Amino acid sequence: MTDNNAAAAAAANTAENTAAQPRPRRRVFLPVTFLLILAVMFAGTFVLHFPTFRSEIGWVRANVAGSLPEQAEALVDRWTADAASNIFLQERLVELDGLAARFYDKHFVRDTEYSYSVIKDNHGWLQFITFPAQLREVVADIAAYKALGVPILYVQPPTKYIDGYTEFPPTLHDQTAANAANTKQAVLDAGVAYLDLREAAEADELDKEKLFYRTDHHWRVETAFWAAQQTAAELDELFGLGLLADPAYLDEANWRQTTWRQNFLGSQGRRVGRFYGGLDDFTLLEPDFATAFSVRLWQQTGEVTEKDGSFADALLEQSMLTDPDVYTNRYGAYWGADYPLATADNLNIEDGPTLLIIKDSYALPFGAFLAAAADKIYMVDLRYFDINNLSSYITEIAPDAVIIMYS
Amino acid sequence: MVFSSVEFLCGFLPVVLLLYFLLPGRRLKNRFLLLASLGFYAWGEPLYVLLMLACIAGNWALGLLADGRRGALPGRAALCLMLLFNLSLLGVFKYAGFVIESLNAAFALALPVPEVVLPIGISFFTFQGMSYVIDVYRGEAKARRNLLDVGLYVAFFPQLIAGPIVRYNTIAAEIDGRRENWQDLCAGIDLFIIGLAKKMLLANNFAIVADKLFNAGGYASLSVGAAWLGAIAYTLQIYFDFGGYSDMAIGLGRMFGFHFLPNFNYPYISRSVTEFWRRWHMSLSGWFRDYVYIPLGGNRRGRGRQVLNLFIVWLLTGLWHGANWTFLAWGLYYCLFLVIEKLTGLSEKLPKVPVLSNLLVLLVVICGWVLFRAPDIAGAGEYLGAMFGVFGNPLTDETFFYQLGENKVQLMLAALAATPVLPWLAKKLPRLQTFAWGLPFGCCRDLFLLLLLLLGLASLAKGSFNPFIYFNF
């Protein structure tokens, strides 16, 4: 074979081999998906929320004095914050991140707001870390409120971080017990009655596993009911209020339980998604006896909402129960939200005890249950109610007892 | 604006990509890229964008003066002016405070310390400006008559604020002559996703560990294990942070048709310190080699001069990283090892003992990173002491076991990602090689990359701890 023939044969051979091998495909899937994802994220984050971004320009002009670069910097900061809080499909993406954290076997999921970082304790419960806290103003001034002459009971609810039961990573030092101890000392020093439901829960041998939601920082509704029973008994013993004059009102046998399985993602769970810590069951407790209430809810705007009817109509926010989205705050079903001021007049009880509850969100179910046994309940939330008006308000409504309860 | 931010990923990038590929003609595309890049920089530095524009204009003018005048007086003058101009910018905005503070400390003076905010990326764009003028002076590229072209080279957003330091002669032809194509777009997307994953899934995680251990202070009370874990975490953090950012930058450049040189080449598999610096931040080491070390004579003027040249280069390298004695010490630390290797021939001998040499180099590198990360020299000394049990600190403690347990999966993933295992597997496994033409390998690769992208976005949405390290240079 000559060189030319050999070369031609070799070329033909190469051509045959090349033809026999499939040509590399033009990549379509990943690049197109990447570009589509960018486009969808752009549309969902910026286009859908365009009015928000546009309104920031007006806000900066109205509120930021200074040079143009300073205003530009302020605008950029606000746009950046808006973008971060409006990222499209944020909940789904956080859930994916939570799934990854579970794959990595993380027990600490850091949040941009460090105080909302989520810890998975030794029981698989989700927790926030509690930092050292100053005494609340209402506790620091409790002697002054006592001097108004109205009986006061400070109620310490059970805490989700249970000393000797809960374990955190060694580098994290929870201050729940320390803060509660400081509060207790201040209350006792002022000569105010103190009910420690942590000790009561131990004494009653309540199942620690069932005191709190796994994914929320609140106690379970069932625990709040037990707490209402304990508090009513204590108030009767200390001040003779007669809340349990008819024990049927706070007898669990007369309350109907409805449980929804795996349908509640609590406050801690919402920071990390459902795949990291799971979902909670949610149990609603409603009276199985006839009820009639007149409820007034003061909004932060000053507007007052009136709700009259049965316990279910007046004291429950049904939308928080019927919405199938697990991100719905089921716990807020009692009263609907935290209001600066909320009142419930039990129309089935005349001349019964009136209670003022100075509260945080722990009192939502708790206050609703006490409302079934009391004549009137006033609930004041000092996060929204001006504490400077508290003394005059206490004097004005003259309750039979004041309950102060903070988690 | 950083690449791993909502405003970039979901806002800037899709808009720029769309408009860029819709615009007709090279000139319009280039002007648009320049405008977008200036907007990118102005987003974080609304005032200092003017400084960058001044840097561009100054270097452009000096490039014109230096063009075709190598060796001639105007050319040399342009070079000197260029050095004076760019180094003055760095001196004022980066080093003035440090110098004054050091003088005050050394001579018990009370000179007022200027409070100058460091412009983001100043070390990168001044070095690129210098590269432009030097390459033009040397005749390795022609000066650009159009200021906007130089503007694009210096300010192009992918490499503007954290590199890689793109040498002008490597992309001069691509400013006008590039051709965007689907293959480059795909390669760019791949690299961008890998970089994003390195940053969001690995670097950010190790940052939490490193910060926890380095920010606590009181290093003498750390256990040996915890101290090592912190040092290793920072070693991984800085690699995946900077390497990830470089991947994203190179990937972005590729999407627009630019082919930047790689900046990292698995530096932690190095078998000598010399090799490490051929694999780590290659654009910086290459810049100093070609623009400082070789012009000073390199190794061609005898051993003594070589050592001096190395000393100068590493002094400058340390200084480039930051205005702090720790960075200077870090630069000289590497100078010491490089001199030892060159004078003893270890740089050739060590690679013959693979595992041992790799471990030795890692030891040198990790200790170097402690110097780099510590707040000051004394802190670095204390931390290193803790690592070697100098204070009688225990071998392990709760913190060590907790951090190890908490990060075990990511440590394993990091070990995989810091070595060329996956690319090696892809080459060596015949089945994968065969299927490379068909569906399965490509499908697996694309699904894997898609997963990385989604996890990166998920981490972004969670709003994890996110600042880039090399921003401060």
Side-chain angles (χ1 to χ4, degrees), chain B residues 175-384:
Chain B
I175 291 177
D176 292 322
R178 69 186 184 279
R179 289 289 173 264
E180 302 85 352
N181 57 69
W182 187 254
Q183 219 170 336
D184 275 343
L185 182 70
C186 293
I189 289 171
D190 287 353
L191 212 44
F192 183 83
I193 292 173
I194 289 168
L196 183 69
K198 280 180 181 175
K199 166 62 182 170
M200 300 303 293
L201 307 182
L202 294 174
N204 283 359
N205 176 75
F206 293 120
I208 294 171
V209 182
D211 281 0
K212 189 85 185 171
L213 293 163
F214 276 94
N215 291 352
Y219 302 138
S221 60
L222 283 174
S223 68
V224 172
W228 271 98
L229 205 51
I232 290 168
Y234 187 69
T235 300
L236 295 170
Q237 175 197 350
I238 196 164
Y239 171 56
F240 289 116
D241 189 290
F242 197 18
Y245 195 95
S246 292
D247 286 346
M248 284 193 270
I250 295 167
L252 285 167
R254 197 80 180 260
M255 291 183 208
F256 296 102
F258 288 96
H259 296 79
F260 301 150
L261 297 176
N263 209 15
F264 292 86
N265 183 17
Y266 300 104
Y268 292 153
I269 64 168
S270 301
R271 296 173 186 179
S272 68
V273 176
T274 305
E275 185 184 353
F276 177 77
W277 280 100
R278 288 196 196 120
R279 291 174 175 271
W280 178 275
H281 201 175
M282 297 188 287
S283 64
L284 181 74
S285 52
W287 196 99
F288 275 112
R289 180 194 62 228
D290 293 343
Y291 295 139
V292 180
Y293 183 69
I294 290 175
L296 285 175
N299 61 359
R300 286 171 285 125
R301 295 197 190 174
R303 281 274 168 94
R305 183 58 185 259
Q306 183 186 17
V307 171
L308 177 65
N309 292 341
L310 282 170
F311 175 80
I312 293 169
V313 164
W314 285 97
L315 187 72
L316 294 175
T317 302
L319 262 180
W320 181 90
H321 281 81
N324 193 314
W325 290 108
T326 51
F327 296 120
L328 259 170
W330 176 80
L332 294 177
Y333 170 86
Y334 273 109
C335 178
L336 177 66
F337 285 104
L338 287 165
V339 165
I340 291 171
E341 280 190 0
K342 289 195 191 310
L343 294 184
T344 60
L346 272 174
S347 53
E348 276 97 46
K349 293 174 191 164
L350 276 171
K352 293 173 184 167
V353 195
V355 175
L356 181 64
S357 61
N358 188 220
L359 287 172
L360 277 172
V361 171
L362 276 176
L363 177 64
V364 169
V365 166
I366 291 171
C367 292
W369 287 134
V370 170
L371 198 52
F372 196 83
R373 175 61 174 82
D376 48 43
I377 303 278
E382 194 183 344
Y383 197 96
L384 287 167

Side-chain angles (χ1 to χ4, degrees), chain A residues 6 19 26 46 74 107 133 143 176 194 283 325 329 362 380:
Chain A
R26 183 184 169 99
F46 293 98
H107 294 84
T176 303
Y194 183 89
T283 297
D325 186 358
N329 184 18
Y362 267 51
V380 159

